[in-house]
Amino acid sequence: MTQKKVIATTSLAGCFGCHMSLLDIDLRLLDLVEVVAFDRSPLTDIKTFTRRADIGLIEGGVCNDENVHVLRLFREHCDILVSMGACAIMGGLPALRNEIPLSECLEEAYLRVPTSAGGSRIIPHHPDLPKILDRVYPCHEIVKIDYFLPGCPPSAELIWRAVTGLLFGGADPIPRELIRYD
Amino acid sequence: MSEVTKVGIVVDGRSIEVVEGASLVDVLRLAGIDVPTLCWTRDVDPPLGTCRVCAVRVDGREVAACTLAVRAGMQVECAAPDLAELQQGVVELLFAEGNHFCPACEKSGDCELQTMGYRMGMTHSRFPYRFESYSLDYRGQRLMLERNRCIHCKRCTDLFTDDEGHRVFCFLGKGSQTQVVMDLEREAKLSEHKCDEAVALCPVGAILRKGRGFDRPIGTRASDTPERMDR
Amino acid sequence: MHDRRGELKAIVQKFAADRRRLIDILWAAHEHRGFVSTDDAAAIAQELGISTGHVAEVVSFYHFFHDRPVGRHTIYLDTSIIAEHAGQGAVREALCRELGVKVGEVSADGLFGLLETSCIGMSDHAPAALVDGLPVPFLTPERAVAMVAWLRAGRPLKDWLAGLARGDGQNTALGLPISNHLRNVGPFLFGPEENDPPVVAQTATADEIIDTVTRSGLRGRGGAGFSTGKKWDLCRKIPAATRYVVCNADEGEPGTFKDRVLLTETADLLFEGMALAGKAIGATEGFLYLRAEYRYLLEHLETRRREFEARAPLGPFSIRIQLGAGAYICGEESALLESMEGKRGEPRIKPPFPVESGYLGCPTVVNNVETLILAALIVRRGSDAFRRWGTERSPGVRLLSVSGDVEFPGIYEIPWGTSLGEVLDRCGAREPHLVQVGGPSGEVVRADAVERVFSYEDLSTGGSLMVFSRDRDRFEILENFSTFFVNESCGNCAPCRAGNVVLRDLLKRFKNGHARAEDLPKLDQWARIVSQTSRCGLGMTSPRVLTTSRKAFPELYADAIDQKKSPLFYDFDVAAATAEYDRRVEEPS
C-alpha cells in the first residue's frame, strides 16, 4: 500500500465556515480518507504536528500573536500551504476592524458595550491569552502562501478540486468557473 | 446623420470591416471579442475612460479600447497574454485599493468588479491590501454611499443628473484621497425611479438604497450561474 | 455684519457669472477671506447656476484652494527632495515648535497655517517656502522663526523680504530677494540681441512663420518633443471659426525653474511668441496659464502684457493671464484646458488632441514657455541661426534648471548634444553619483555616464537636472519622487491613482530592508501595469522612478535584499504589531 498523503488544517481568525464547507464534500470524504490522513487539524483534534504534511489548509486571517505562531508552524511543517477562504486571503470580515484603531475596538468591545459585566473596566489580558494585533493580516503577509482558494466559504467543489488536484495532480486545481468571493 | 463609412481594421491578425469612428469596444464585441470593461457604458461620448481595464494594443501601443474610435488600417491586438496581464493587474489594483468585503456586500453576485475578477480567474490581489479608512455617508434621504467599495469610475459623477439636469454626485479631493460625495439637497428631491437608476448605474455596491438589503436571493444573482455571468 | 453673500455675488458678477471663470472666481473669493466655506461654495454655485458639488470639487482639487481657514498667513513648505536635502526638515521642526502646530494645522491664534506643497520652482534657493504667495528663499530655522516674529508684529512680509541678504543677480524688478541665477547665457536664447531685428516683420505671413519654425526643427520643450511648426500647421488646418493659443506656464516638474526665470527676464519675447503662434494659426486670443506658485510674477507679467498689447507689434492679439491654483497635473495640456474652463484638472481622453479640440472645444495650440520664446527668436533670426546649434536631429538650444549638490545651481543654456559630463563640470557638481534628468518623470542616470548627451535621442529632458552626491541616500531620493506622484495623481484613472501608492510602498520595502528576492521582478512588472494603462503622461511616466533607477543602479536593489532571509517566512515584527495592545491593556481604564 502506498503511503497516504497528509493534510493539516487550522482555523486562525476564521469562523470554521471553510471547514464546514470542506465537510460539505459529503460522501467524497470517504474516498478521501482512503488516500489521505489528516494530521494536525480541528477535524482530528490533533493539536501538534506528528509528521510532515503534504498540504496545509489555512482558514482565517491573522489577528493575534498566536495566529502568527500557528501560521509559522504550518509553514514549517507543510510542503504546500493554501489560504482557504476570504479571511485567510484578505482578512475577511474580521478585517472590517482594520479601519478602526485597535484601542477603539477594544474599548467598544469590552468597556462600552451594555453587556459588559457590571462595573467591569477591564480589557482582558493574561499571559495565557493571545495578544491582539494592531490589525488583521492576510496570511501571505506573514509567510509564503502557495495557493489561494477564494470564497466565503470556498465551495466544497472548489476545495475538493484543489485538494485532490494539488495532492494527486490533474488539470487545473483552481478552475476559473468555481471562483467566487462570497 | 452623416453617412456610415466602412473601413478595414486588423484584429489579432484577422481583417474585419467596421464602421469608421465607432468605439473600438463596440467593434470588438461585434466581432465576438469580449474585451473586459468596468467604467464603460454604451453610447457615452466622450467615454469615461477611467478604469483602464479594456487595455488593448493598437499599432504597437497600449491603449484603453473604450477611448478609441476606429480608423482605417488600425492594427489591433487583444489576445496577447501580456494584455490580459495588464487588464487583470488593474482589476487587482482596485481590489487592493478599496475594502471589498464581498461576503458582506449587498451587491455581491451582481457586482461588475466582482464579475471581472471571476472572469479573469483572480484568486487574490497580488498587491498588498491597503485597508484604508473610507467613510460612509448615510445622510441621504434614500441613497447612501459606501465608499469602501467605490472604484471611482465616475459613472455617477459624469453620467447621472437629476430631473432638472443637475449633477448630484461629484468627486472631492484628488489622487488617492478622491472620494465621491452626494449633493444632499438634490438627492432629497430625487424620484424613486431616479434613485434606482443611480443604484443600477453604480457597477459596485457603493451607491445603495437605504432600508434595502440583500434583496436578490442567492441563486438568482447574475454570477450564481456561470452562463449568466457571460454577457 | 460682513456681507459675505453680497461680496461673493459681486465677485461672480465681475466675471459675468461665467462658470468657465470658476478658478478666477475662487481666487477672488479666497482673496477676501482665505478660504471658501461650504456656504460660500453654495452661494457661488447658486450665482453661477451650477450645483454646489461642482464648486466644491474644484476647490478640493487644488493645493491653494481651501474649504476651511488656513491662517491669516499661510506657509507652504516646499517638499521637493532638493528642499529636504537643503534642510527643510529642520525648518519644518522649528516652525512646528514655534507655532505649536503639526504640518497641516493652523496655530491656535488663527494667525498661521503651516502646509506643505510640491516643488515651488525654487530649487536654486532651497529650502524655500511660499508665504502668503511670496517666495521665501534659503530658509533656516532661525530665519523662519524671525519671519514669524515679524509677521506676528503685524508688519508686511514684503518689507521683511526686502531686508534679506541679497544674492547675486538680485532681481530688483520684482522687489524680491530671489536671483535668476543665469549661469550660462547664450549661445541663442539669452544670446546678444543687438543684431536682432527689433521685432519680427509684421509682414511675415502665416505660411512664412510656420515654414520658418518648421525648418528650424524646433520641438516642444515641455518634454514630449512634438514639432512646433507641425503642431501649428495641424491646428490651422482644422476648420473652425475660433482658435486659441495657450502658453503652458504650469512648470511643475520638481527641480525645474527655468520658466520662472524666463517669465521674469523675457516676458516680452514670450508674448511675441504667442502672438506669432496666433498669427500662424489664425487666432487673435491667447492665454498664459501661470502656475499658482508663481503668483508673485503676476503683477510684473500684467505690466508687460499691457505694454505688449499696446504696442501690438504683430497686429491685434489679446492675452489673458490665467492663474492656476496648484496642481502638477495641470502641466498636462488637456488638464490645463480643463482647469482653464473652470474645472478639476483631470486630463481629457486623447484623441481628440487640443489642436483639434482644445479650449472650449476650439482648435488650440498649447506650447511651453521656452518653446514660444525660441519660436519668436527663430522668426526674428531665421531658422538657420537656430540650426547652427545642437545636432541634426535635435537642433538648437535648451535651458536646464540645475539644482542639488552643485556649486552653482541655476539656469544653463546648452546646445543640444552637450554631454552630461560637461554640464556636471560646469555646474560644479560635488562628487555626483545619481543624476535625475527631466525630474521625477524623467530618468535616473548614473553620474559616471558622462558620455551621455542631452538630445531627443538620448537624454530627452524637460529641463530639470537634479544632481545628488555620493553621500545621499538614493532610496530616500526615489521615495520622495514616488510620493510626489502619489500626491499629484489627479485620481481620475485607476492605475495611476491606486498604482502609484503601490509602487511607492514597494519602493519603501526596499528602502526599509524588507524586500525579498521575489520583489525584484515586481519592480518592472508592476511599473508596466501602471505605465501602460494610465490615462495620461503622469501615470505613464511615474513608474520610471523605479524602472530607470533599477537600470542605472541594479546593485542598489540587489544589495537591499538579504539573501539569507528565508523565502518562506516573511519579516513580521510581532512585538511592533502587538505594541498598541500592550499599551492599551496596561493603561488604567
Side-chain angles (χ1 to χ4, degrees):
Chain A
M1 187 185 128
T2 52
Q3 190 82 35
K4 281 189 175 180
K5 298 278 186 184
V6 180
I7 299 183
T9 77
T10 187
S11 180
L12 307 175
C15 70
F16 279 90
C18 297
H19 276 78
M20 294 296 117
S21 195
L22 167 62
L23 297 179
D24 270 345
I25 61 175
D26 297 336
L27 289 177
R28 283 175 291 184
L29 261 178
L30 301 177
D31 302 334
L32 195 62
V33 294
E34 289 294 317
V35 288
V36 154
F38 280 87
D39 196 74
R40 177 176 174 155
S41 167
L43 303 173
T44 55
D45 215 18
I46 299 174
K47 303 268 196 268
T48 52
F49 281 95
T50 66
R51 61 197 135 163
R52 188 158 184 82
D54 293 287
I55 190 167
L57 301 176
I58 311 289
E59 170 184 341
V62 181
C63 83
N64 62 36
D65 60 350
E66 195 242 354
N67 292 160
V68 178
H69 176 72
V70 173
L71 182 57
R72 283 174 174 163
L73 274 179
F74 265 71
R75 184 66 271 182
E76 208 179 313
H77 289 93
C78 304
D79 289 347
I80 297 172
L81 210 54
V82 180
S83 268
M84 174 170 68
C87 300
I89 289 174
M90 48 76 73
L93 297 195
L96 282 169
R97 80 157 161 100
N98 284 5
E99 309 169 34
I100 304 162
L102 176 66
S103 347
E104 231 174 276
C105 290
L106 293 170
E107 283 158 22
E108 184 66 28
Y110 294 109
L111 306 182
R112 287 202 288 266
V113 278
T115 51
S116 69
S120 163
R121 307 295 293 153
I122 287 178
I123 295 168
H125 60 103
H126 186 273
D128 290 347
L129 287 177
K131 291 179 178 183
I132 314 283
L133 304 183
D134 53 349
R135 63 181 182 86
V136 181
Y137 293 83
C139 292
H140 63 274
E141 290 188 20
I142 316 285
V143 299
K144 176 165 174 57
I145 296 291
D146 303 298
Y147 294 92
F148 300 82
L149 304 183
C152 184
S155 65
E157 189 60 29
L158 177 60
I159 298 173
W160 169 258
R161 286 281 295 264
V163 169
T164 53
L166 292 173
L167 286 179
F168 304 107
D172 199 4
I174 306 175
R176 181 173 296 214
E177 66 274 13
L178 291 181
I179 290 177
R180 290 292 181 276
Y181 307 142
D182 59 2
Chain B
M1 283 301 284
S2 57
E3 239 170 87
V4 169
T5 317
K6 289 268 188 173
V7 293
I9 65 169
V10 178
V11 180
D12 293 326
R14 180 161 62 106
S15 297
I16 55 172
E17 285 267 290
V18 300
V19 176
E20 184 174 34
S23 157
L24 184 56
V25 167
D26 277 329
V27 163
L28 291 175
R29 292 216 168 139
L30 270 174
I33 297 164
D34 201 6
V35 54
T37 59
L38 266 177
C39 68
W40 184 83
T41 52
R42 194 174 292 276
D43 297 330
V44 171
D45 189 31
L48 296 171
T50 54
C51 78
R52 321 302 291 177
V53 170
C54 59
V56 296
R57 195 155 32 235
V58 174
D59 300 332
R61 243 187 99 113
E62 293 74 18
V63 291
C66 72
T67 64
L68 222 54
V70 286
R71 296 181 311 266
M74 268 183 173
Q75 300 281 326
V76 185
E77 264 182 88
C78 307
D82 71 304
L83 292 171
E85 176 71 9
L86 290 182
Q87 295 165 352
Q88 184 169 339
V90 175
V91 168
E92 289 181 21
L93 274 172
L94 289 169
F95 270 99
E97 179 188 40
N99 294 315
H100 297 281
F101 295 103
C102 296
C105 178
E106 295 85 341
K107 200 79 169 257
S108 192
D110 291 306
C111 165
E112 295 179 41
L113 177 66
Q114 191 185 54
T115 306
M116 206 48 68
Y118 295 164
R119 283 182 39 173
M120 292 173 169
M122 182 196 108
T123 57
H124 67 291
S125 177
R126 78 192 71 180
F127 307 107
Y129 292 97
R130 273 169 50 200
F131 300 111
E132 290 286 333
S133 174
Y134 302 101
S135 60
L136 271 67
D137 188 347
Y138 38 78
R139 295 170 302 163
Q141 296 292 310
R142 273 169 297 188
L143 293 178
M144 61 175 279
L145 294 177
E146 219 306 10
R147 298 196 184 96
N148 289 292
R149 305 167 183 164
C150 177
I151 57 168
H152 304 86
C153 68
K154 298 201 86 172
R155 281 193 195 170
C156 64
T157 60
D158 289 17
L159 307 182
F160 184 80
T161 54
D162 63 12
D163 287 325
E164 293 164 37
H166 286 291
R167 295 167 59 201
V168 178
F169 300 93
C170 69
F171 264 6
L172 278 197
K174 78 168 175 191
S176 56
Q177 305 300 311
T178 310
Q179 59 170 6
V180 62
V181 295
M182 184 159 68
D183 185 319
L184 293 173
E185 277 176 44
R186 297 201 181 276
E187 185 271 343
K189 290 188 226 150
L190 289 179
S191 65
E192 286 288 313
H193 172 73
K194 271 282 170 190
C195 286
D196 288 340
E197 191 186 304
V199 174
L201 190 61
C202 181
V204 292
I207 302 177
L208 298 169
R209 284 298 299 264
K210 289 173 93 171
R212 215 184 265 174
F214 296 81
D215 56 356
R216 298 252 287 188
I218 291 176
T220 67
R221 307 168 310 168
S223 66
D224 288 336
T225 56
E227 312 82 66
R228 295 191 54 189
M229 253 173 63
D230 303 322
R231 280 171 277 175
Chain C
M1 186 66 196
H2 178 67
D3 177 18
R4 178 66 168 167
R5 185 69 207 239
E7 186 176 276
L8 293 172
K9 190 169 176 172
I11 288 170
V12 173
Q13 276 343 205
K14 188 180 153 209
F15 292 98
D18 183 349
R19 70 180 68 171
R20 295 169 306 195
R21 301 296 298 276
L22 187 54
I23 303 291
D24 304 282
I25 291 168
L26 291 172
W27 268 119
H30 276 76
E31 191 68 39
H32 291 257
R33 200 177 170 190
F35 70 104
V36 170
S37 69
T38 314
D39 287 347
D40 292 351
I44 292 169
Q46 201 182 358
E47 295 297 332
L48 289 172
I50 55 180
S51 75
T52 309
H54 183 116
V55 177
E57 70 178 5
V58 172
V59 171
S60 70
F61 189 82
Y62 297 94
H63 291 306
F64 296 99
F65 287 160
H66 302 280
D67 64 358
R68 65 204 66 187
V70 285
R72 189 179 313 159
H73 303 289
T74 315
I75 302 168
Y76 294 91
L77 295 175
D78 181 332
T79 58
S80 71
I81 189 65
I82 301 297
E84 299 294 346
H85 280 168
Q88 193 74 298
V91 173
R92 186 183 288 116
E93 268 174 46
L95 282 170
C96 286
R97 205 168 39 239
E98 179 67 20
L99 302 173
V101 297
K102 290 202 281 282
V103 170
E105 294 178 348
V106 179
S107 61
D109 55 9
L111 216 48
F112 293 94
L114 183 62
L115 305 176
E116 290 184 332
T117 196
S118 304
C119 181
I120 59 171
M122 294 288 284
S123 292
D124 54 339
H125 295 79
L130 283 172
V131 182
D132 299 341
L134 296 175
V136 182
F138 301 120
L139 277 167
T140 59
E142 299 72 34
R143 191 175 259 195
V145 169
M147 176 189 71
V148 166
W150 182 277
L151 292 172
R152 273 196 186 126
R155 287 173 288 192
L157 180 63
K158 255 204 140 144
D159 294 353
W160 182 75
L161 286 173
L164 285 188
R166 300 179 168 232
D168 53 316
Q170 166 81 19
N171 194 298
T172 42
L174 297 174
L176 293 169
I178 56 173
S179 154
N180 286 334
H181 291 139
L182 286 174
R183 306 294 187 182
N184 196 57
V185 293
F188 187 82
L189 199 158
F190 286 118
E193 284 188 47
E194 303 89 72
N195 303 331
D196 281 358
V199 81
V200 61
Q202 274 202 32
T203 49
T205 63
D207 285 337
E208 284 162 358
I209 293 169
I210 288 179
D211 188 53
T212 306
V213 173
T214 308
R215 269 190 294 115
S216 76
L218 176 63
R219 294 164 68 172
R221 292 301 195 250
F226 194 79
S227 156
T228 306
K230 197 171 163 196
K231 189 187 259 189
W232 293 3
D233 196 35
L234 281 173
C235 185
R236 72 164 171 167
K237 284 183 177 151
I238 306 287
T242 313
R243 294 185 181 78
Y244 296 106
V245 174
V246 172
C247 171
N248 181 348
D250 194 54
E251 174 179 55
E253 191 70 40
T256 178
F257 46 87
K258 66 178 177 72
D259 289 352
R260 183 195 89 219
V261 173
L262 288 172
L263 291 166
T264 312
E265 295 265 326
T266 53
D268 302 337
L269 268 177
L270 171 62
F271 295 137
E272 186 176 314
M274 290 176 70
L276 267 176
K279 194 160 186 188
I281 66 166
T284 55
E285 211 177 332
F287 299 88
L288 172 63
Y289 187 95
L290 181 69
R291 74 187 300 225
E293 289 81 349
Y294 294 166
R295 198 180 174 195
Y296 54 87
L297 296 177
L298 194 55
E299 207 181 299
H300 156 77
L301 287 170
E302 286 292 3
T303 310
R304 290 284 184 280
R305 182 190 64 81
R306 279 192 297 272
E307 288 167 9
F308 180 82
E309 281 187 7
R311 274 194 296 130
L314 289 152
F317 186 78
S318 71
I319 293 169
R320 177 157 77 73
I321 303 177
Q322 171 71 59
L323 192 60
Y328 168 71
I329 189 61
C330 289
E332 198 280 342
E333 57 182 4
S334 68
L336 182 150
L337 294 170
E338 287 286 292
S339 182
M340 274 179 52
E341 292 179 9
K343 293 183 261 181
R344 291 162 66 85
E346 292 180 18
R348 296 175 180 171
I349 300 283
K350 290 191 276 188
F353 291 92
V355 286
E356 304 159 70
S357 173
Y359 182 56
L360 307 180
C362 300
T364 304
V365 148
V366 184
N367 279 134
N368 181 268
V369 174
E370 187 180 330
T371 312
L372 287 163
I373 289 171
L374 287 172
L377 291 172
I378 286 165
V379 175
R380 280 186 184 191
R381 300 172 186 170
S383 57
D384 288 346
F386 186 67
R387 289 203 87 103
R388 260 186 64 203
W389 307 103
T391 68
E392 182 56 31
R393 287 171 65 196
S394 302
V397 297
R398 89 145 303 147
L399 297 187
L400 297 179
S401 310
V402 179
S403 64
D405 299 317
V406 297
E407 288 304 318
F408 311 107
I411 301 297
Y412 292 75
E413 179 180 344
I414 57 157
W416 283 118
T418 305
S419 73
L420 175 62
E422 195 183 333
V423 173
L424 290 177
D425 280 347
R426 225 186 292 169
C427 67
R430 289 189 290 261
E431 285 195 67
H433 190 32
L434 185 157
V435 182
Q436 187 71 25
V437 178
S441 72
E443 182 178 348
V444 177
V445 178
R446 296 182 75 99
D448 54 18
V450 288
E451 71 293 346
R452 294 195 63 181
V453 293
F454 293 95
S455 65
Y456 286 106
E457 303 85 67
D458 187 5
L459 295 174
S460 160
T461 172
S464 164
L465 187 74
M466 295 187 265
V467 181
F468 301 101
S469 65
R470 197 158 290 279
D471 55 353
R472 300 291 188 193
D473 179 341
R474 283 166 292 173
F475 278 130
E476 185 196 343
I477 297 166
L478 300 173
E479 188 193 344
N480 177 284
F481 293 163
S482 208
T483 302
F484 166 75
F485 290 118
V486 171
N487 292 338
E488 296 296 341
S489 166
C490 80
N492 176 297
C493 80
C496 177
R497 184 187 64 245
N500 276 309
V501 175
V502 159
L503 294 180
R504 195 254 328 255
D505 291 351
L506 179 60
L507 198 55
K508 270 169 124 169
R509 283 159 73 122
F510 282 91
K511 180 172 178 248
N512 299 335
H514 295 307
R516 306 184 289 266
E518 66 183 74
D519 290 331
L520 267 177
K522 288 178 191 167
L523 289 164
D524 291 325
Q525 287 164 5
W526 294 9
R528 185 178 155 263
I529 291 170
V530 177
S531 66
Q532 295 190 346
T533 60
S534 283
R535 180 180 174 111
C536 80
L538 194 155
M540 290 175 196
T541 57
S542 61
R544 292 167 59 82
V545 173
L546 280 72
T547 54
T548 65
S549 63
R550 187 176 174 210
K551 205 168 151 215
F553 297 102
E555 75 285 0
L556 173 69
Y557 288 93
D559 293 351
I561 291 171
D562 183 353
Q563 296 292 348
K564 290 195 292 291
K565 274 185 187 166
S566 158
L568 296 179
F569 298 91
Y570 300 159
D571 287 351
F572 184 77
D573 186 345
V574 178
T578 53
E580 191 181 350
Y581 175 80
D582 285 338
R583 203 167 44 242
R584 185 60 193 84
V585 296
E586 278 156 22
E587 244 173 55
S589 344

